[in-house]
Amino acid sequence: MVYAEVISGLWIGNIDMMYNKKFINDNNIRVIINCTTNVPFSETIQTHNIRIPLSDILIHNIETLRNNKDKILSTIDTLLESNHILLCCYDGKTLSPFIISLYLIHYGGILKEKIKPMILSKHKEISMDYDVSLLDL
């Protein structure tokens, strides 16, 4: 399983993590943002659920992310004020770290050149095999 707390209360992970009741409860996660097209949410874990329908290939999602970036990032920022969030994608290694990178650049003022080392330091299996210029959405 791939998961990491990137900043306080903001987690990324693979889709298996949204079914892990112990993980959800231990980390006080109240919001799950599911970045898959059709993987269902858990029916037994009570959380506020949001879907961002994305394919498992980052480059295929660039236009969707570009068109919805402001809404996605402002939703994360608003919810993070009073909730712990799990942002999950298929493998937890590409899409969720990419979206969190956008968030940290926009709301954290972190330079895009410093994002990769920061995110990669959170979990050894996270993959950020894309040109940082993609973060210029």
Side-chain angles (χ1 to χ4, degrees), residues 12-25:
I12 56 175
N14 65 356
I15 55 172
D16 295 332
M17 297 314 298
M18 70 179 174
Y19 300 109
N20 186 326
K21 191 171 190 169
K22 181 173 176 14
F23 170 79
I24 298 295
N25 290 335

Side-chain angles (χ1 to χ4, degrees), residues 2-19:
V2 175
Y3 62 92
E5 187 175 29
V6 180
I7 60 173
S8 182
L10 185 56
W11 293 80
I12 56 175
N14 65 356
I15 55 172
D16 295 332
M17 297 314 298
M18 70 179 174
Y19 300 109

Side-chain angles (χ1 to χ4, degrees), residues 29-90:
I29 292 170
R30 298 292 171 249
V31 177
I32 294 177
I33 301 174
N34 178 344
C35 298
T36 69
T37 55
N38 60 359
V39 176
F41 290 94
S42 171
E43 294 181 12
T44 62
I45 300 174
Q46 296 299 320
T47 53
H48 177 74
N49 298 324
I50 299 170
R51 181 177 304 278
I52 303 172
L54 300 172
S55 78
D56 61 343
I57 301 171
L58 176 62
I59 200 70
H60 294 169
N61 299 301
I62 295 301
E63 194 60 32
T64 299
L65 289 168
R66 181 178 290 119
N67 292 338
N68 296 286
K69 176 180 135 184
D70 292 338
K71 182 178 179 182
I72 292 167
L73 300 184
S74 67
T75 298
I76 291 170
D77 193 57
T78 300
L79 290 169
L80 191 57
E81 290 177 12
S82 57
N83 299 280
H84 288 197
I85 299 171
L86 170 62
L87 194 139
C88 55
C89 61
Y90 299 92

Side-chain angles (χ1 to χ4, degrees), residues 2-8 10-13 87 89 92-106 108 110-130 132 135:
V2 175
Y3 62 92
E5 187 175 29
V6 180
I7 60 173
S8 182
L10 185 56
W11 293 80
I12 56 175
L87 194 139
C89 61
K93 300 175 185 180
T94 307
L95 290 173
S96 50
F98 184 81
I99 292 170
I100 295 304
S101 295
L102 293 172
Y103 176 80
L104 293 172
I105 290 167
H106 186 81
I110 298 173
L111 298 173
K112 69 180 179 182
E113 294 77 18
K114 297 193 183 248
I115 286 291
K116 273 191 179 187
M118 181 189 161
I119 301 288
L120 292 172
S121 74
K122 303 298 179 177
H123 195 288
K124 64 181 178 178
E125 290 184 41
I126 293 173
S127 169
M128 295 186 72
D129 284 343
Y130 49 81
V132 292
L135 294 167

